[in-house]
Amino acid sequence: MKLHSTETKQYQTVTAYDEDGVELNAIRFDHSLVVLPETEPAPWPVTSFEALTAADFEQIDATRPDVVILGTGERQRFIHPKLIAALTARRIGVECMDNQAACRTYNILMAEGRKVALALVIPPKS
């Protein structure tokens, strides 16, 4: 699905997504990544939802967001609380949703000026 935004061009905005990846400001990514509005997207060394560990969330914790939108892949899954305990202890909310919903939600929160992090699990193509 193509998304268009006119007021947020200076930020990392999701401009399209599908089951194989995401476009940020019309640049295609087909691997897991962490996105914040005002910084370049960062690769995230996650190959599947099942492979997530608490250490994977340390990269996100270092950015100090107010909320994390976790895209869990093609379908919504819920992360075990022990994996995000460090974020929860800092009062950083984590919302789990499928990647498409995560992309839409990130754009809305980013456009509202929220300090939001988008963490997308995009499995490598086989």
Side-chain angles (χ1 to χ4, degrees):
M1 169 180 275
K2 289 279 188 188
L3 301 176
H4 299 282
S5 176
T6 56
E7 299 178 18
T8 59
K9 291 185 181 192
Q10 71 271 26
Y11 300 115
Q12 299 300 321
T13 303
V14 177
T15 51
Y17 54 79
D18 58 31
E19 58 278 345
D20 297 322
V22 64
E23 281 185 15
L24 300 168
N25 297 343
I27 299 171
R28 178 86 179 161
F29 296 88
D30 60 358
H31 56 80
S32 297
L33 68 157
V34 176
V35 182
L36 288 107
E38 297 178 344
T39 61
E40 291 294 316
W44 198 30
V46 176
T47 57
S48 70
F49 178 80
E50 295 78 19
L52 282 168
T53 68
D56 293 319
F57 291 94
E58 290 175 7
Q59 176 180 355
I60 298 167
D61 188 24
T63 67
R64 301 290 191 255
D66 292 335
V67 64
V68 176
I69 305 301
L70 175 61
T72 59
E74 291 184 18
R75 64 184 176 91
Q76 181 181 27
R77 297 185 245 185
F78 296 97
I79 194 77
H80 194 285
K82 71 179 180 181
L83 297 180
I84 56 171
L87 295 171
T88 304
R90 292 187 194 281
R91 302 182 73 103
I92 298 170
V94 178
E95 297 295 331
C96 299
M97 51 193 79
D98 66 66
N99 282 356
Q100 293 183 5
C103 289
R104 293 188 303 266
T105 303
Y106 165 81
N107 275 356
I108 292 168
L109 294 176
M110 181 266 310
E112 291 176 350
R114 300 278 305 272
K115 189 167 183 192
V116 59
L118 173 63
L120 289 175
V121 176
I122 302 173
K125 294 179 187 174
S126 47

